[in-house]
Amino acid sequence: MSTYMTGDIVAASCRGHPVEGIYITDRDGMAVLKLKSGYNIGVDQETCTLVRRAGDQPIPAVPTVVQDESLPELAIISTGGTIASKIDYRTGAVTSQFTADDILRAVPGLTTVARYRAEMLATILSENMTPSTWQALARAVHAAVTNGAEGVIVTHGTDTMSYSASALSFMLDTPSPVVFVGSQRSADRPSSDNVMNAMCAAAAARSDLGEVAVAMHATTNDDLCAVHRGTRVRKMHTSRRDAFQSHEMAPIATVAYPSLAVDLSPEAVRRGEAEPALHADLEERCGLLSSYPGMPEEAVKVYEDFKGLVIAGTGLGHVGSGCIEALREMIDAGTTVVMTSQCLHGRVCDRVYDTGRDLLAAGVVEGEDMLPETALTKLMWVLGNTADREEARRLMATNLKGEIRRRSDYGF
Amino acid sequence: MDFKALGLKAGIEIHQQLDTEEKLFCHCPTTLRETEEHTGEFVRYLHATVSEMGEVDRAAAEEMMNRRQFHYLTYDTTCLVENDEEPPAPMNPEALEIALQVARTFEMHPVEQVHTMRKLVIDGSNTSGFQRTAMVALAGVLPGDGEVETICLEEEAAQRVEGSTFSLDRLGIPLVEITTSPCMHTPEAVQETAKYIGMVLRSTGQVKRGLGTIRQDVNISIRDGARVEIKGVQELDLIAEVVRREVTRQVNLLAIRDELRARNASVGEVTHDVTALFTDTKSSILKRAKSILAVVLPGFAGLVGREVQPGRRLGTEISDYVKKCGLGGIFHTDELPAYGVTAEEVAALRAHLGVADEDAVILISGSKEKAACGAKQVRHRARLALEGVPEETRKMLDEGNTAYMRPLPGAARMYPETDVLPVTITDEHWAAVRVPELLSDLARRMEDELDLDPAVARQAAYSEHLPLFRMAVQAGIKPNLAARTVLGTLKELSRDGVAVDKIGDQDVLTVLTAVEKGEVAKEVIPDLLTEVAGGKTAAAAVADHAGGVSAEELAEIVEKIVAERIEFVQEKQMRALGPLMGVVMKEVRGKVDGKIVSEALRSEISRVI
């Protein structure tokens, strides 16, 4: 622990040359000072002496956000992530606390699209999301929808945004748009995609859409956002702005930027088609296993106490023959096992090769053309809502929220 | 001008591109491309980010007044990092090493833990909206009593193709930025220091050469003036003139201020809409405009038109500020009637506004929004005129004049690059950093060791072909022959349109070795190199010209050529030697040394005359 506090003015020696700066933090045993030029340098802790304490910093005047009361109301539910994160220029520390007001300050244009009611549900990185956060989120969204919000924007870290979007798709029936949005490039950079994504999400949340969706950059350009169905979207790139892609279907809408013109596809579920309903129960003891050549039986048996298991199999939906017996035993003991494909694109068919037929004989459910992650959230929801194994098998093979397509379209 | 009496203080920042394999924060090559070679493009907007204190950097805020869509060109030599679509790679150690070598030369103190920062730049030249930069060392010495304040390692910005279009090939090339203290007091001292630092940088042998690879920013202030940073002075020889002209500008601005104060001048608070006065104007600019606004500057008459630099007036300075709103400029009453605006219109304007003869009026025309922005800028700049010299970042114009770019950025523009880990420079590392031999020392050493003429030694040391020259000498080529070929012949061939970039170092060495061994005459070096540039291998070129002319054969050739031109020889006597040399050399196709040919000719001519 350093004896200095952020903001203290400290004198030190940079290899014999005297320097003075604002103490920022410790970094790997060095004291990080901000020099007058704004540059940070790391100096030997031992050479530091206090010039003066930081004293009480004046609380910065935060500009108030003025909302246009004549505009329709949207709800913003924030869960964390980079869409409104920012940095303290004085200390160089990244702030993790932010309110929806902060989002409006970061993206001032939002106030021209709607007025907002804001709720901060969590400030967590999306890799730390759990099924119970999805449940809390589903309840918050349901409350916003039933309380008259014209649409809901959920700000979310991008890592697991598609899991949350698909989970909410199953947990919620919604007459109004529920739009997930995030940013791939952090909000503290002038080039962040947060501004355009948030503006397009707000436009989508006001539109005629009536389902759970994800709004993100359609391409690397700042000119169009794609709106994806919550059950058919997947993050397909670690860092690009257009990481989110619809699978085996076109996006359900596009939003042009900066005009914010929304173009709904014929397939999009329209506003008002459903009555609001919440079925928030989930069976958390479900797993997702990616098959690979030489995968030993033990890898499967890890899940033997689980209620459900989704396998991302190879090709048409296979695991090595050596794992089939273990799967049979698990299924006999009460685990529901669903087969999807790590190809991501295309439909599972376990009737073509011997291995597939053996899997079917063992009791594995074909997951049709569901994305593996969607199959996982669906399996949690199905097992959370029915105790009947046959009913669970039937539901897993039935399209509920657009996650299964009856036909594999060519050239959408 | 007595610069010392005026209290001139000047410092420089030198930005030098490094010749590294890869860029500073990604693994792309540092190759510049032709824009026609681009393989993709994309568009982006940039947004000024607000600090937690609610502050926006003042330079960034001004840039945002005119929001633009930026267009970027990508290449097969650029990647997602340049596109701002991938986090940066760790800092390039090769670039850091070069910066440390320079730091050692200036006897600086290296930073123990180097932190990469983001410097906010939202003019579109950086896809991210910031330039990554890290302070590597501080407090060094210059000859005389000068001081190097800091050395930073930065990434180069993207090259503007035109308007809002940028080319990403240059983005991310490592730069060292060397900043001196404001320790210089004459224009000449600034130029000399820039020259010296440039020499130190080239001494590393690892910097890029050629136009645009080194840029100087000059910081200038005089007593009662203000710090002004002039960006992008590319020609070293212009630096002193730039300093002189900036001093002139500040002196003139201070004189204008004093005059304004003496007149009790002020800046009108009201913006007048005078669009209606110009409905029938002959001025095409005003006719086109949706909105024409007027700002009254009481007491400014005659001073708006006063020159502050050759060909530039206070009005030009005001106009530069207005351009930030996306407008072309302004009209002011000191220059009217002109540009299609009649004396009657000016009189009507003055009458309408009820202004006196000693008042100036500025007209701003354009769209409603832009004209309103322009009027605000006019008042802003006029108020600054009452204070004297504004702190500004300015850009170079032709011949050493400068124009306003943006306010000097504040400290709010720097924040940490959270995606790059700090780099520790250990004592062992610092102790092991090579100190490059200064080119000035090298020139003196080569003069002694290689027995070269001082001018040739200096030329060799400072040439970008120094490595080839040294290789040749190492290979046993006589220094003078190596110098003449490497520094002279290649340049001459290039001037004559020969594709010298097709001639490899090894080709030059092969040719020079053949000359040194007496296989070919040195007179054919240009021919050989031209053939190599044309696609022949060096060995084949040498073989085609090598050997086969014995002393007897030469005597025969010489005798024949002299006999055929006997009248000419008898008329010119020994003066025929020169013209006949060329004929003989052509006949022997460069296979015999010129000296031998000359002797043979001389004896033959004296035999026949």
Side-chain angles (χ1 to χ4, degrees):
Chain A
M1 260 307 280
S2 168
T3 48
Y4 304 108
M5 290 182 308
T6 302
D8 284 351
I9 306 295
V10 167
S13 163
C14 172
R15 281 207 168 87
H17 183 76
V19 292
E20 191 176 295
I22 301 169
Y23 177 83
I24 303 291
T25 185
D26 279 7
R27 189 76 186 252
D28 309 328
M30 299 245 182
V32 180
L33 301 189
K34 179 174 285 297
L35 305 182
K36 204 173 151 221
S37 58
Y39 279 95
N40 290 2
I41 62 171
V43 297
D44 185 352
Q45 298 263 17
E46 300 294 312
T47 68
C48 293
T49 54
L50 183 69
V51 175
R52 62 176 181 276
R53 282 283 174 205
D56 291 331
Q57 294 295 323
I59 294 167
V62 182
T64 46
V65 177
V66 182
Q67 302 219 36
D68 184 343
E69 293 302 320
S70 67
L71 291 172
E73 184 178 79
L74 298 179
I76 298 182
I77 300 173
S78 59
T79 67
T82 55
I83 192 154
S85 68
K86 62 187 176 189
I87 207 148
D88 181 338
Y89 282 85
R90 186 175 52 81
T91 63
V94 180
T95 57
S96 57
Q97 288 289 321
F98 55 87
T99 64
D101 264 11
D102 288 329
I103 298 174
L104 297 183
R105 269 189 288 273
V107 189
L110 282 175
T111 53
T112 65
V113 182
R115 69 195 154 90
Y116 301 86
R117 179 195 326 155
E119 181 179 348
M120 190 166 69
L121 191 78
T123 51
I124 52 177
L125 297 168
S126 74
E127 57 271 32
N128 295 328
M129 286 270 171
T130 62
S132 59
T133 339
W134 300 337
Q135 290 171 314
L137 182 58
R139 288 188 194 102
V141 171
H142 180 256
V145 169
T146 49
N147 286 337
E150 186 156 319
V152 181
I153 300 168
V154 180
T155 68
H156 199 292
T158 56
D159 271 20
T160 67
M161 186 154 68
S162 58
Y163 288 83
S164 297
S166 66
L168 258 72
S169 298
F170 297 113
M171 289 189 279
L172 272 179
D173 293 340
T174 175
S176 19
V178 176
V179 185
F180 281 75
V181 67
S183 69
Q184 282 283 85
R185 311 299 288 145
S186 61
D188 59 20
R189 56 178 62 221
S191 59
S192 175
D193 49 337
N194 71 332
V195 172
M196 174 173 134
N197 290 349
M199 293 291 286
C200 292
R206 274 200 58 184
S207 74
D208 205 25
L209 195 67
E211 57 181 313
V212 178
V214 168
M216 292 288 284
H217 266 62
T219 66
T220 193
N221 294 299
D222 281 352
D223 59 2
L224 190 73
C225 267
V227 182
H228 309 277
R229 175 162 287 160
T231 53
R232 294 215 68 93
V233 64
R234 196 169 189 281
K235 186 175 184 178
M236 296 299 290
H237 198 278
T238 57
S239 57
R240 279 179 63 140
R241 287 164 173 75
D242 55 357
F244 285 81
Q245 310 249 309
S246 285
H247 274 251
E248 304 295 285
M249 72 180 292
I252 50 174
T254 56
V255 184
Y257 185 82
S259 74
L260 302 185
V262 180
D263 186 8
L264 293 190
S265 91
E267 278 209 59
V269 179
R270 296 311 205 258
R271 183 183 283 278
E273 282 184 23
E275 286 299 314
L278 175 70
H279 312 281
D281 291 339
L282 293 176
E283 172 50 64
E284 292 194 22
R285 298 221 17 106
C286 291
L288 174 58
L289 173 64
S290 194
S291 174
Y292 55 91
M295 180 169 76
E297 222 180 19
E298 300 93 284
V300 175
K301 286 188 169 169
V302 166
Y303 295 95
E304 61 190 2
D305 293 335
F306 278 50
K307 296 285 185 211
L309 175 63
V310 174
I311 298 173
T314 53
L316 281 166
H318 300 132
V319 295
S321 308
C323 291
I324 295 178
E325 190 48 38
L327 286 172
R328 187 195 319 277
E329 285 168 17
M330 275 171 65
I331 292 165
D332 289 348
T335 306
T336 302
V337 178
V338 179
M339 181 60 74
T340 61
S341 174
Q342 55 194 240
C343 296
L344 304 178
H345 292 281
R347 192 177 298 271
V348 161
C349 182
D350 279 319
R351 287 147 285 146
V352 178
Y353 296 103
D354 283 348
T355 313
R357 292 178 189 187
D358 292 345
L359 283 165
L360 290 180
V364 169
V365 182
E366 285 177 311
E368 298 291 335
D369 63 346
M370 271 190 290
L371 285 165
E373 300 83 4
T374 298
L376 174 67
T377 59
K378 182 178 179 182
L379 188 56
M380 287 183 179
W381 183 80
V382 165
L383 295 179
N385 283 277
T386 177
D388 180 341
R389 289 195 65 199
E390 277 316 304
E391 175 67 358
R393 292 173 62 90
R394 188 187 70 77
L395 285 172
M396 284 311 293
T398 308
N399 174 40
L400 303 178
K401 291 294 174 78
E403 76 280 11
I404 290 175
R405 297 174 67 77
R406 187 133 185 90
R407 297 165 49 245
S408 303
D409 290 340
Y410 176 73
F412 45 81
Chain B
M1 256 188 288
D2 183 346
F3 295 101
K4 288 208 170 112
L6 288 167
L8 168 63
K9 278 192 194 167
I12 39 176
E13 269 176 35
I14 298 210
H15 301 86
Q16 167 74 62
Q17 288 178 6
L18 303 183
D19 195 17
T20 49
E21 283 285 312
E22 295 181 348
K23 289 182 172 177
L24 190 53
F25 290 109
C26 73
H27 302 302
C28 288
T30 60
T31 321
L32 293 183
R33 304 295 299 273
E34 298 297 326
T35 50
E36 306 84 69
E37 297 170 339
H38 76 270
T39 51
E41 46 196 287
F42 60 90
V43 296
R44 293 276 169 74
Y45 293 94
L46 293 174
H47 317 274
T49 43
V50 183
S51 82
E52 201 182 43
M53 325 289 283
E55 275 176 64
V56 174
D57 177 64
R58 60 182 176 176
E62 185 167 295
E63 203 62 56
M64 291 308 291
M65 292 195 312
N66 185 21
R67 201 161 149 239
R68 281 178 297 165
Q69 191 185 51
F70 299 111
H71 207 96
Y72 297 100
L73 304 182
T74 67
Y75 300 84
D76 54 8
T77 48
T78 62
C79 72
L80 290 185
V81 173
E82 286 97 333
N83 293 13
D84 187 47
E85 288 271 54
E86 185 174 297
M91 183 187 282
N92 179 348
E94 186 190 4
L96 179 61
E97 204 58 29
I98 301 170
L100 288 174
Q101 287 180 16
V102 177
R104 281 209 69 163
T105 308
F106 291 121
E107 299 171 46
M108 301 179 79
H109 304 262
V111 169
E112 289 169 281
Q113 193 184 46
V114 176
H115 288 254
T116 301
M117 308 295 291
R118 298 171 176 177
K119 195 194 290 180
L120 203 64
V121 182
I122 56 169
D123 63 0
S125 63
N126 290 72
T127 46
S128 56
F130 52 77
Q131 180 183 26
R132 295 187 186 91
T133 174
M135 188 182 289
V136 171
L138 37 86
V141 292
L142 284 169
D145 54 0
E147 188 197 9
V148 176
E149 273 180 359
T150 57
I151 175 164
C152 296
L153 204 45
E154 304 193 324
E155 48 181 8
E156 176 67 285
Q159 173 86 48
R160 192 187 295 269
V161 179
E162 59 175 354
S164 299
T165 302
F166 294 87
S167 176
L168 294 186
D169 51 339
R170 203 182 71 178
L171 178 65
I173 292 178
L175 289 177
V176 287
E177 183 208 65
I178 294 171
T179 307
T180 75
S181 62
C183 55
M184 292 159 267
H185 307 289
T186 65
E188 292 72 27
V190 181
Q191 191 157 319
E192 280 310 305
T193 304
K195 214 179 253 179
Y196 177 77
I197 294 174
M199 186 273 290
V200 169
L201 286 165
R202 288 195 298 280
S203 298
T204 62
Q206 291 170 277
V207 300
K208 295 228 184 248
R209 306 287 289 255
L211 195 70
T213 56
I214 185 163
R215 293 192 300 277
Q216 285 91 10
D217 296 351
V218 188
N219 280 296
I220 303 164
S221 68
I222 61 171
R223 191 174 305 109
D224 299 329
R227 191 165 86 83
V228 164
E229 181 173 314
I230 296 163
K231 287 277 195 206
V233 186
Q234 292 200 3
E235 290 149 79
L236 205 55
D237 296 338
L238 259 183
I239 290 182
E241 183 60 19
V242 168
V243 177
R244 279 191 283 272
R245 291 204 184 191
E246 177 57 23
V247 173
T248 306
R249 196 182 71 93
Q250 297 204 8
V251 167
N252 287 333
L253 285 175
L254 290 174
I256 288 173
R257 176 197 67 182
D258 294 343
E259 172 86 27
L260 287 171
R261 286 181 178 175
R263 292 184 189 179
N264 212 7
S266 61
V267 176
E269 289 305 323
V270 187
T271 300
H272 305 269
D273 190 330
V274 295
T275 318
L277 293 181
F278 293 96
T279 39
D280 298 320
T281 185
K282 296 272 181 296
S283 158
S284 54
I285 293 174
L286 294 184
K287 206 167 182 72
R288 249 199 335 264
K290 290 246 166 17
S291 170
I292 304 171
L293 301 179
V295 173
V296 179
L297 301 177
F300 273 69
L303 294 177
V304 180
R306 171 141 347 148
E307 210 168 66
V308 292
Q309 271 184 338
R312 289 181 53 87
R313 295 146 216 292
L314 178 59
T316 328
E317 302 263 310
I318 296 173
S319 169
D320 287 344
Y321 274 62
V322 170
K323 285 177 183 166
K324 286 283 155 183
C325 302
L327 293 169
I330 55 165
F331 288 140
H332 59 80
T333 45
D334 281 359
E335 61 179 355
L336 297 177
Y339 312 114
V341 180
T342 62
E344 292 72 39
E345 283 169 332
V346 176
L349 174 71
R350 282 189 171 277
H352 175 80
L353 297 172
V355 299
D357 285 350
E358 58 267 28
D359 303 342
V361 181
I362 312 278
L363 290 179
I364 310 101
S365 62
S367 71
K368 237 182 171 100
E369 204 173 279
K370 285 182 178 177
C373 169
K376 220 169 122 186
Q377 285 289 86
V378 167
R379 275 202 296 274
H380 175 46
R381 182 60 187 87
R383 269 187 221 111
L384 293 172
L386 293 171
E387 289 164 31
V389 184
E391 285 195 340
E392 289 170 343
T393 303
R394 300 178 66 84
K395 64 179 176 217
M396 265 281 290
L397 301 175
D398 292 341
E399 291 158 10
N401 275 351
T402 58
Y404 173 70
M405 262 176 102
R406 52 180 180 250
L408 277 186
R413 76 190 299 216
M414 288 280 236
Y415 54 113
E417 170 52 284
T418 44
D419 299 342
V420 177
L421 295 178
V423 179
T424 304
I425 299 169
T426 62
D427 292 342
E428 295 74 35
H429 182 179
W430 177 240
V433 171
R434 183 179 77 91
V435 186
E437 180 179 27
L438 290 186
L439 296 180
S440 51
D441 295 343
L442 174 65
R444 271 190 293 274
R445 190 162 65 82
M446 290 201 301
E447 198 183 314
D448 293 346
E449 291 178 4
L450 304 179
D451 197 23
L452 283 173
D453 177 75
V456 175
R458 197 180 146 81
Q459 200 197 349
Y462 284 66
S463 162
E464 60 183 308
H465 302 302
L466 173 68
L468 176 57
F469 170 76
R470 297 179 100 169
M471 248 192 289
V473 172
Q474 195 92 38
I477 310 300
K478 285 195 197 74
N480 272 310
L481 175 64
R484 197 175 327 125
T485 307
V486 171
L487 308 174
T489 310
L490 284 173
K491 200 183 276 177
E492 287 150 21
L493 288 177
S494 166
R495 211 160 34 215
D496 294 344
V498 177
V500 290
D501 53 325
K502 300 244 165 63
I503 307 172
D505 287 358
Q506 207 49 55
D507 298 328
V508 176
L509 291 184
T510 303
V511 167
L512 288 179
T513 307
V515 172
E516 208 59 74
K517 283 190 187 154
E519 289 167 12
V520 288
K522 60 179 179 298
E523 284 76 4
V524 284
I525 292 174
D527 295 343
L528 294 179
L529 293 177
T530 304
E531 286 171 21
V532 171
K536 216 185 239 186
T537 67
V542 166
D544 286 354
H545 289 268
V549 182
S550 63
E552 292 77 35
E553 281 168 324
L554 176 64
E556 255 172 56
I557 291 168
V558 168
E559 197 183 324
K560 177 166 156 275
I561 284 172
V562 171
E564 280 167 7
R565 293 161 179 77
I566 189 69
E567 282 173 26
F568 175 73
V569 172
Q570 276 164 349
E571 184 201 327
K572 296 278 178 183
Q573 303 274 307
M574 219 21 122
R575 276 172 295 134
L577 179 68
L580 291 188
M581 268 300 286
V583 183
V584 179
M585 285 308 286
K586 194 165 181 197
E587 189 69 25
V588 300
R589 289 176 52 230
K591 290 170 185 171
V592 186
D593 191 276
K595 221 181 249 171
I596 297 167
V597 171
S598 162
E599 274 162 25
L601 252 181
R602 187 184 302 277
S603 77
E604 179 62 15
I605 291 171
S606 42
R607 194 179 66 79
V608 299
I609 56 176

